[in-house]
Amino acid sequence: MSARLAGRRVLLVIGGGIAAYKALELIRLIRKEGGAVRAVITAGGEKFVTPLSVQALCEDRVHTDLFSLTGESEMGHIQLSRSADLVVVAPASADLLAKMAAGMADDLATTLLLATDKEVLVAPAMNVRMWTHPATVANLETLLRRGVSVVGPEEGPMACGEFGPGRLAEPAAILEAIVARLDGERILAGRHVVVTSGPTHEPIDPVRYIANRSSGRQGHAIAAALARRGARVTLVSGPVALADPAGVAVVRVETALEMRAAVLAALPADAAVFCAAVADWRVEAQGRKIKKTGAPPALALVENPDILAEVSRLEGRRPRLVVGFAAETGDLVAQATAKRARKGCDWIVANDVGAGTGIMGGAENEVVLITEAGAEPWPRAGKDAVADRLAERISGIFQ
Ligand code: C5P
């Protein structure tokens, strides 16, 4: 299977028109190429395809309403408009093109088309007279001038019985237009990167375990950001409640020992990013459930292998770039600089996880990148943005 869109995210706006049914095939084709689709259907679009069928194909919630409270609290329309690498409008009706040209924002689709900072690709579909009407011609000229790109329409017999240009481009042609726009920045194409993410669970006995508060959000975001740049990513993840990032091979593990084995099995790699909060200790094997006996049990702890340090010192198989994380609760730069030397890695991404920072398990991160050149503080940002910046830096090494 080719995966020319692995890790790429498309926000698909489905406008009104009989051709809306072809959007379903388009979603299937994008996903077959490894891309993720988030869909928005206009009120007109909903007359031709149901949110349920779109949702089933996307495997993601479909958005229809600007003022949906749950929608706004889960993800605001501004965030939605920027949560993709490309916005595709298919079919783009004459009305939708007119609203885009005029900068109107009276529903979810038009609002996010006005709010987006991403490239927009439109696939018009309408009756031939509507397509050739001077109003539509002028609207399209305006949109092209603003950098919107167009695929189709094609010429042929139309649902309304007329013949001429106005038919929605075939889904395969729209797919190629999407690939052409998203395939260019894949700086890490041909590179393999191993990423660890999440906590580890260390069993105390068959029912209990030791864990930590890591959510895996940062590591998963890094895996996704690397995949978007074309890398083949192996994500070795401890137990998390997150969806697998698009276009990433996920290996699920529970314990530090399993994580170590999975990382070593995934090598060789060009780069490795160790974001997991690996438990420092495991409990010596307990085959049976520990019973209450009156006195608390003494747990014998054994130190876990340090995967980052081990991979950093591998002879022959060491990835060219090894990146570790350092979660500290004080003296951040000094601690992380010492950790970089101790572990033998190239970079350390250090963050303060002290009480009140909301970083461990939260949506944002504030990090300092420690390299050979010194400490580089980055502004506080969403974990996705931090991941993008780190992926960009990693790409720089392999350019
Ligand atoms: O020493 P400390 O646990 O603070 O180091 C954190 C860094 O080391 C992280 O990059 C983490 O993923 C990695 N690590 C590891 N194996 C361990 C412990 C930490 O790979 N057993």
mmCIF file of all heavy atoms in Angstrom, residues 196 256 274-280 304-309 323-328 339 342-343 348, ligand 1:
data_model
loop_
_atom_site.group_PDB
_atom_site.id
_atom_site.type_symbol
_atom_site.label_atom_id
_atom_site.label_comp_id
_atom_site.label_asym_id
_atom_site.label_seq_id
_atom_site.Cartn_x
_atom_site.Cartn_y
_atom_site.Cartn_z
ATOM 1 N N THR A 196 9.520 7.039 22.039
ATOM 2 C CA THR A 196 8.826 6.404 23.160
ATOM 3 C C THR A 196 7.877 7.423 23.783
ATOM 4 O O THR A 196 8.126 8.629 23.733
ATOM 5 C CB THR A 196 9.780 5.862 24.246
ATOM 6 O OG1 THR A 196 10.397 6.967 24.930
ATOM 7 C CG2 THR A 196 10.841 4.947 23.661
ATOM 8 N N ALA A 256 8.773 -1.250 31.669
ATOM 9 C CA ALA A 256 10.040 -0.696 31.172
ATOM 10 C C ALA A 256 10.828 -1.764 30.423
ATOM 11 O O ALA A 256 11.429 -1.484 29.384
ATOM 12 C CB ALA A 256 10.852 -0.158 32.351
ATOM 13 N N PHE A 274 13.190 9.932 23.127
ATOM 14 C CA PHE A 274 12.718 9.206 24.312
ATOM 15 C C PHE A 274 11.888 10.128 25.189
ATOM 16 O O PHE A 274 12.415 10.856 26.009
ATOM 17 C CB PHE A 274 13.915 8.623 25.074
ATOM 18 C CG PHE A 274 14.614 7.550 24.289
ATOM 19 C CD1 PHE A 274 15.685 7.845 23.464
ATOM 20 C CD2 PHE A 274 14.151 6.247 24.343
ATOM 21 C CE1 PHE A 274 16.305 6.856 22.712
ATOM 22 C CE2 PHE A 274 14.762 5.247 23.589
ATOM 23 C CZ PHE A 274 15.839 5.548 22.777
ATOM 24 N N CYS A 275 10.589 10.074 24.956
ATOM 25 C CA CYS A 275 9.691 10.988 25.654
ATOM 26 C C CYS A 275 8.956 10.273 26.791
ATOM 27 O O CYS A 275 8.321 10.892 27.623
ATOM 28 C CB CYS A 275 8.695 11.535 24.629
ATOM 29 S SG CYS A 275 7.810 12.961 25.193
ATOM 30 N N ALA A 276 9.041 8.945 26.819
ATOM 31 C CA ALA A 276 8.278 8.184 27.817
ATOM 32 C C ALA A 276 8.761 8.487 29.232
ATOM 33 O O ALA A 276 9.943 8.761 29.454
ATOM 34 C CB ALA A 276 8.420 6.685 27.542
ATOM 35 N N ALA A 277 7.821 8.451 30.164
ATOM 36 C CA ALA A 277 8.164 8.557 31.578
ATOM 37 C C ALA A 277 8.313 7.119 32.085
ATOM 38 O O ALA A 277 7.364 6.504 32.562
ATOM 39 C CB ALA A 277 7.058 9.282 32.323
ATOM 40 N N VAL A 278 9.515 6.603 31.902
ATOM 41 C CA VAL A 278 9.772 5.205 32.257
ATOM 42 C C VAL A 278 9.928 5.100 33.779
ATOM 43 O O VAL A 278 10.618 5.912 34.384
ATOM 44 C CB VAL A 278 11.077 4.721 31.582
ATOM 45 C CG1 VAL A 278 11.306 3.238 31.834
ATOM 46 C CG2 VAL A 278 11.042 5.005 30.080
ATOM 47 N N ALA A 279 9.289 4.097 34.363
ATOM 48 C CA ALA A 279 9.435 3.917 35.811
ATOM 49 C C ALA A 279 10.894 3.580 36.119
ATOM 50 O O ALA A 279 11.496 2.751 35.433
ATOM 51 C CB ALA A 279 8.531 2.782 36.282
ATOM 52 N N ASP A 280 11.440 4.243 37.106
ATOM 53 C CA ASP A 280 12.848 3.990 37.434
ATOM 54 C C ASP A 280 13.036 2.622 38.076
ATOM 55 O O ASP A 280 14.091 2.020 37.968
ATOM 56 C CB ASP A 280 13.360 5.087 38.366
ATOM 57 C CG ASP A 280 13.500 6.409 37.618
ATOM 58 O OD1 ASP A 280 14.008 6.368 36.480
ATOM 59 O OD2 ASP A 280 13.081 7.461 38.139
ATOM 60 N N ASN A 304 15.228 -0.259 36.934
ATOM 61 C CA ASN A 304 14.971 -0.616 35.536
ATOM 62 C C ASN A 304 16.155 -0.200 34.671
ATOM 63 O O ASN A 304 16.875 0.748 35.018
ATOM 64 C CB ASN A 304 13.716 0.108 35.036
ATOM 65 C CG ASN A 304 12.459 -0.697 35.281
ATOM 66 O OD1 ASN A 304 12.494 -1.931 35.218
ATOM 67 N ND2 ASN A 304 11.368 -0.017 35.579
ATOM 68 N N PRO A 305 16.353 -0.855 33.539
ATOM 69 C CA PRO A 305 17.417 -0.404 32.637
ATOM 70 C C PRO A 305 17.074 0.982 32.098
ATOM 71 O O PRO A 305 15.898 1.302 31.900
ATOM 72 C CB PRO A 305 17.403 -1.443 31.512
ATOM 73 C CG PRO A 305 16.077 -2.090 31.582
ATOM 74 C CD PRO A 305 15.620 -2.014 33.006
ATOM 75 N N ASP A 306 18.083 1.805 31.890
ATOM 76 C CA ASP A 306 17.862 3.142 31.336
ATOM 77 C C ASP A 306 17.970 3.043 29.815
ATOM 78 O O ASP A 306 19.064 2.915 29.258
ATOM 79 C CB ASP A 306 18.909 4.119 31.900
ATOM 80 C CG ASP A 306 18.555 5.549 31.559
ATOM 81 O OD1 ASP A 306 18.198 5.812 30.393
ATOM 82 O OD2 ASP A 306 18.632 6.408 32.457
ATOM 83 N N ILE A 307 16.827 3.080 29.154
ATOM 84 C CA ILE A 307 16.785 2.832 27.700
ATOM 85 C C ILE A 307 17.530 3.944 26.953
ATOM 86 O O ILE A 307 18.318 3.682 26.043
ATOM 87 C CB ILE A 307 15.323 2.739 27.211
ATOM 88 C CG1 ILE A 307 14.526 1.788 28.109
ATOM 89 C CG2 ILE A 307 15.270 2.262 25.768
ATOM 90 C CD1 ILE A 307 13.023 1.877 27.937
ATOM 91 N N LEU A 308 17.281 5.178 27.375
ATOM 92 C CA LEU A 308 17.930 6.322 26.722
ATOM 93 C C LEU A 308 19.455 6.204 26.803
ATOM 94 O O LEU A 308 20.161 6.349 25.796
ATOM 95 C CB LEU A 308 17.454 7.630 27.379
ATOM 96 C CG LEU A 308 18.200 8.909 27.032
ATOM 97 C CD1 LEU A 308 18.088 9.231 25.545
ATOM 98 C CD2 LEU A 308 17.683 10.084 27.857
ATOM 99 N N ALA A 309 19.952 5.928 28.004
ATOM 100 C CA ALA A 309 21.410 5.836 28.187
ATOM 101 C C ALA A 309 21.978 4.670 27.382
ATOM 102 O O ALA A 309 23.041 4.789 26.768
ATOM 103 C CB ALA A 309 21.726 5.672 29.673
ATOM 104 N N VAL A 323 17.538 11.921 21.311
ATOM 105 C CA VAL A 323 16.946 13.018 22.086
ATOM 106 C C VAL A 323 16.276 12.442 23.331
ATOM 107 O O VAL A 323 15.471 11.520 23.243
ATOM 108 C CB VAL A 323 15.885 13.772 21.242
ATOM 109 C CG1 VAL A 323 15.328 14.959 22.020
ATOM 110 C CG2 VAL A 323 16.456 14.221 19.905
ATOM 111 N N GLY A 324 16.643 12.978 24.484
ATOM 112 C CA GLY A 324 16.000 12.557 25.724
ATOM 113 C C GLY A 324 15.149 13.679 26.283
ATOM 114 O O GLY A 324 15.224 14.824 25.828
ATOM 115 N N PHE A 325 14.324 13.348 27.251
ATOM 116 C CA PHE A 325 13.526 14.349 27.955
ATOM 117 C C PHE A 325 13.980 14.379 29.408
ATOM 118 O O PHE A 325 14.479 13.380 29.922
ATOM 119 C CB PHE A 325 12.032 14.005 27.866
ATOM 120 C CG PHE A 325 11.372 14.600 26.656
ATOM 121 C CD1 PHE A 325 11.708 14.151 25.391
ATOM 122 C CD2 PHE A 325 10.443 15.623 26.786
ATOM 123 C CE1 PHE A 325 11.119 14.709 24.260
ATOM 124 C CE2 PHE A 325 9.842 16.188 25.666
ATOM 125 C CZ PHE A 325 10.176 15.736 24.408
ATOM 126 N N ALA A 326 13.811 15.505 30.040
ATOM 127 C CA ALA A 326 14.120 15.587 31.463
ATOM 128 C C ALA A 326 12.999 16.339 32.149
ATOM 129 O O ALA A 326 12.771 17.524 31.875
ATOM 130 C CB ALA A 326 15.448 16.306 31.677
ATOM 131 N N ALA A 327 12.256 15.631 32.978
ATOM 132 C CA ALA A 327 11.200 16.260 33.761
ATOM 133 C C ALA A 327 11.810 16.594 35.120
ATOM 134 O O ALA A 327 12.211 15.697 35.852
ATOM 135 C CB ALA A 327 10.033 15.304 33.895
ATOM 136 N N GLU A 328 11.894 17.871 35.424
ATOM 137 C CA GLU A 328 12.549 18.277 36.664
ATOM 138 C C GLU A 328 11.598 19.137 37.496
ATOM 139 O O GLU A 328 10.628 19.683 36.984
ATOM 140 C CB GLU A 328 13.824 19.096 36.358
ATOM 141 C CG GLU A 328 14.809 18.413 35.414
ATOM 142 C CD GLU A 328 15.519 17.220 36.051
ATOM 143 O OE1 GLU A 328 15.474 17.078 37.285
ATOM 144 O OE2 GLU A 328 16.108 16.422 35.295
ATOM 145 N N LYS A 339 22.210 15.859 33.014
ATOM 146 C CA LYS A 339 21.569 14.620 32.528
ATOM 147 C C LYS A 339 22.010 14.308 31.103
ATOM 148 O O LYS A 339 22.260 13.153 30.754
ATOM 149 C CB LYS A 339 20.042 14.780 32.586
ATOM 150 C CG LYS A 339 19.298 13.502 32.320
ATOM 151 C CD LYS A 339 17.852 13.588 32.761
ATOM 152 C CE LYS A 339 17.718 13.569 34.271
ATOM 153 N NZ LYS A 339 16.344 13.574 34.740
ATOM 154 N N ARG A 342 25.346 12.759 31.384
ATOM 155 C CA ARG A 342 25.282 11.451 32.050
ATOM 156 C C ARG A 342 24.729 10.377 31.121
ATOM 157 O O ARG A 342 25.210 9.257 31.087
ATOM 158 C CB ARG A 342 24.399 11.600 33.286
ATOM 159 C CG ARG A 342 24.633 10.539 34.334
ATOM 160 C CD ARG A 342 24.022 10.909 35.676
ATOM 161 N NE ARG A 342 22.596 11.125 35.642
ATOM 162 C CZ ARG A 342 21.985 12.263 35.958
ATOM 163 N NH1 ARG A 342 22.705 13.324 36.317
ATOM 164 N NH2 ARG A 342 20.671 12.383 35.919
ATOM 165 N N LYS A 343 23.705 10.762 30.349
ATOM 166 C CA LYS A 343 23.034 9.771 29.498
ATOM 167 C C LYS A 343 23.748 9.595 28.165
ATOM 168 O O LYS A 343 23.530 8.602 27.485
ATOM 169 C CB LYS A 343 21.589 10.197 29.241
ATOM 170 C CG LYS A 343 20.795 10.446 30.515
ATOM 171 C CD LYS A 343 19.748 9.409 30.702
ATOM 172 C CE LYS A 343 18.847 9.756 31.885
ATOM 173 N NZ LYS A 343 17.870 8.718 32.136
ATOM 174 N N ILE A 348 18.620 17.254 25.049
ATOM 175 C CA ILE A 348 17.648 16.990 26.114
ATOM 176 C C ILE A 348 16.562 18.055 26.006
ATOM 177 O O ILE A 348 16.863 19.247 25.880
ATOM 178 C CB ILE A 348 18.297 17.060 27.519
ATOM 179 C CG1 ILE A 348 19.124 15.809 27.831
ATOM 180 C CG2 ILE A 348 17.256 17.311 28.593
ATOM 181 C CD1 ILE A 348 18.381 14.660 28.488
HETATM 182 O O1 C5P B 1 16.694 9.998 34.495
HETATM 183 P P1 C5P B 1 15.352 10.424 34.021
HETATM 184 O O2 C5P B 1 14.280 9.396 34.207
HETATM 185 O O3 C5P B 1 14.927 11.780 34.478
HETATM 186 O O4 C5P B 1 15.570 10.585 32.426
HETATM 187 C C1 C5P B 1 14.554 10.933 31.599
HETATM 188 C C2 C5P B 1 14.879 10.523 30.204
HETATM 189 O O5 C5P B 1 15.403 9.208 30.161
HETATM 190 C C3 C5P B 1 13.656 10.476 29.317
HETATM 191 O O6 C5P B 1 14.074 10.754 28.002
HETATM 192 C C4 C5P B 1 13.200 9.042 29.483
HETATM 193 O O7 C5P B 1 12.405 8.624 28.386
HETATM 194 C C5 C5P B 1 14.510 8.310 29.533
HETATM 195 N N1 C5P B 1 14.495 7.090 30.348
HETATM 196 C C6 C5P B 1 14.654 5.861 29.749
HETATM 197 N N2 C5P B 1 14.681 4.727 30.509
HETATM 198 C C7 C5P B 1 14.569 4.791 31.854
HETATM 199 C C8 C5P B 1 14.411 6.033 32.477
HETATM 200 C C9 C5P B 1 14.369 7.165 31.698
HETATM 201 O O8 C5P B 1 14.754 5.799 28.529
HETATM 202 N N3 C5P B 1 14.603 3.684 32.560
#
